[in-house]
């Protein structure tokens, strides 16, 4: 549940006073991290921009990161400032204030081919920090994973703090060039229902990357399957026949479609293996 404004301010004061930013080097300084050299235009209907060309060399030095971030903010060209961190970090309110509304992005490189980022364009609320403690081992129940049986689970990740973030936090992950063009599907684990619920989708880029927007910490699973963009005149029945599927199998692969009779042009539909 989202904190009250009073709780947000109290937490922000406590964390800001401590100026917490837990830093554990991930890669040696000067090790470049590669990014996509194409611009991505959609993630669940949201415009998402990938930095063009190779990333600047990531740093694990706080002062260097701040200097780079301030320079990127002044230039206002949408640059990524790349920072190597461990799997536990906090972006304090001071950094969110610097970024707020500005055309620059702080990219936080963790392990396992996963990067978290905060774009100034997404920051409007700065009342409390972005705190992330991420792990990558499977933690969801075996019963819930049966929902996606037959589809490759390419990533597990979870946050120990299941708290809302003050702004959208993008998570970028390398899923392999062999998955180019397929849909990466993000599920969160509903503990009460002991099931996976679809949260987001993203068409995997040519270099094998996907991006999802998160608004909170949770337990997540990413699978890969084919995707189809709904065209004029399509119905789920027609899409099922076209792909050699039963209608029930197509419905089962698309729990996000609450009314099978109402699909819209341009909507992405998950296509399971026949």
């Amino acid at each position: 549940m989202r904190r009250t404004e009073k709780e947000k301010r109290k937490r922000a004061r406590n964390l800001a006073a401590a100026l917490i930013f837990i830093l554990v080097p991930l890669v040696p300084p000067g090790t470049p991290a590669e990014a996509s050299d194409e611009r991505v235009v959609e993630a669940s209907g949201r415009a998402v921009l990938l930095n063009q060309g190779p990333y600047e060399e990531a740093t694990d030095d706080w002062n260097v990161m701040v200097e780079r971030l301030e320079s990127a903010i002044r230039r206002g060209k949408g640059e990524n400032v790349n920072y190597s961190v461990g799997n536990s970090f906090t972006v304090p309110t001071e950094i969110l204030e610097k970024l707020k509304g500005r055309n620059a992005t702080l990219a936080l490189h963790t392990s396992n081919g996963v990067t978290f980022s905060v774009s100034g364009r997404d920051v409007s609320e700065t009342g409390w920090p972005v705190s992330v403690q991420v792990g990558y081992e499977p933690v969801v129940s075996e019963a819930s994973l049966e929902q996606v049986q037959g589809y490759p689970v390419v990533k597990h990740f979870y946050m120990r703090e299941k708290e809302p973030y003050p702004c959208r936090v993008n998570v970028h992950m390398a899923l392999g060039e062999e998955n180019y063009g397929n849909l990466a599907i993000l599920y969160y684990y509903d503990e009460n229902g002991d099931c996976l619920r679809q949260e987001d989708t993203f068409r995997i880029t040519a270099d094998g990357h996907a991006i999802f927007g998160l608004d909170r910490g949770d337990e997540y699973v990413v699978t890969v399957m084919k995707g189809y963009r709904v065209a004029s005149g399509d119905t789920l029945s027609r899409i099922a026949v076209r792909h050699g599927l039963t209608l029930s199998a197509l419905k089962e692969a698309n729990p996000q479609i609450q009314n099978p009779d109402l699909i819209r042009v341009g909507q992405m539909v998950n296509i399971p293996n026949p």
Side-chain angles (χ1 to χ4, degrees), residues 154 173 175 179 181-187 198 200-204 209-212 221-227 270:
V154 291
M173 52 186 63
L175 302 181
N179 289 314
N182 289 333
L183 277 188
I185 304 171
L186 178 72
Y187 299 88
Q198 185 168 318
D200 206 351
T201 63
F202 192 89
R203 189 175 288 279
I204 299 170
H209 285 80
I211 305 174
F212 300 109
V221 171
V222 179
T223 67
V224 172
M225 68 174 69
K226 295 178 182 178
N270 307 330

Side-chain angles (χ1 to χ4, degrees), residues 116 132 134-140 144-145 153-165 169 171 173 185-191 196-200 212-223:
F116 293 86
V132 174
V134 63
Y136 295 107
E137 62 271 19
V139 293
V140 304
S144 66
L145 287 175
V153 174
V154 291
K155 194 75 69 176
H156 290 266
F157 67 102
Y158 67 94
M159 289 76 167
R160 292 180 175 85
E161 290 191 16
K162 295 185 180 181
E163 300 287 347
Y165 301 137
V169 176
V171 56
M173 52 186 63
I185 304 171
L186 178 72
Y187 299 88
Y188 75 90
Y189 179 50
D190 179 349
E191 293 183 20
L196 297 176
R197 299 194 182 276
Q198 185 168 318
E199 177 91 352
D200 206 351
F212 300 109
L214 307 179
D215 61 11
R216 70 192 184 283
D218 215 320
E219 295 157 343
Y220 296 100
V221 171
V222 179
T223 67

Side-chain angles (χ1 to χ4, degrees), residues 21-22 24-27 33 58-59 82-90 107-117 132-136 155-159 169-174:
F21 202 106
I22 305 171
V24 181
L26 170 65
V27 296
T59 180
N82 298 284
Y83 196 25
S84 294
V85 299
N87 291 337
S88 178
F89 61 84
T90 298
L108 301 146
H109 299 272
T110 69
S111 64
N112 210 17
V114 175
T115 297
F116 293 86
S117 71
V132 174
Q133 296 184 63
V134 63
Y136 295 107
K155 194 75 69 176
H156 290 266
F157 67 102
Y158 67 94
M159 289 76 167
V169 176
N170 286 321
V171 56
H172 311 238
M173 52 186 63

